[in-house]
Amino acid sequence: MSLKKINTVLAAVFILFILWFGTEYILSPETTAPGYGLPSWPPGDGDGFLIIKGIRDVVLALVLGILLVTGHRRALGWVLLVEALAAYGDMANVLAHHGSVATALGVHCLTATLMVVNGLLIMHETRNVAAAPETLTRATH
């Protein structure tokens, strides 16, 4: 299987995973929240804050999906790298609030790191394509 196909499958898996997870937070935040890794439910009505996380995740997935579907692969690589910061931020949030270290590392950190790897692989895949216009311009002058 080619690097491009592997990268496409990995990106599609991330998109579907983030979209599913975000949708779960929107539709049933009280049942999804314990999987985030924080030690306790926020006092009062915390659903609104959890739904915000769900909306964030859905938007992150849609941005990746649009770039994948439209074939903007280099931009997809960059956005995967940047969006990994959201998952690293979730990891830091769980750790800072004395949440589950296993969830912080096994879910958030692992997801972020795999996103970085996928982003770097896409950047590697597209490096020759990005350099081609410059080479072509030099050759015509």
Side-chain angles (χ1 to χ4, degrees):
M1 190 181 308
S2 73
L3 181 59
K4 183 175 181 178
K5 285 183 183 178
I6 292 169
N7 289 337
T8 300
V9 168
L10 285 174
V13 167
F14 282 121
I15 291 164
L16 293 173
F17 174 72
I18 296 167
L19 188 61
W20 168 75
F21 205 73
T23 302
E24 286 290 308
Y25 265 98
I26 293 169
L27 298 177
S28 59
E30 66 284 343
T31 58
T32 307
Y36 183 78
L38 292 175
S40 63
W41 182 260
D45 182 16
D47 286 4
F49 291 103
L50 296 170
I51 291 170
I52 290 170
K53 184 203 177 324
I55 293 168
R56 178 200 75 176
D57 289 348
V58 168
V59 170
L60 293 174
L62 292 175
V63 169
L64 291 171
I66 289 168
L67 292 172
L68 181 64
V69 169
T70 59
H72 291 89
R73 295 189 68 79
R74 190 141 184 93
L76 176 62
W78 279 112
V79 172
L80 275 163
L81 293 173
V82 170
E83 287 190 9
L85 295 174
Y88 282 128
D90 289 345
M91 174 197 70
N93 183 32
V94 170
L95 293 173
H97 290 92
H98 311 292
S100 166
V101 173
T103 301
L105 299 178
V107 175
H108 302 296
C109 184
L110 180 62
T111 299
T113 302
L114 290 173
M115 289 176 75
V116 167
V117 168
N118 191 204
L120 290 172
L121 285 171
I122 291 173
M123 298 298 285
H124 178 74
E125 165 205 323
T126 60
R127 76 178 191 280
N128 293 334
V129 175
E134 182 180 318
T135 306
L136 183 61
T137 303
R138 288 185 197 160
T140 59
H141 283 69

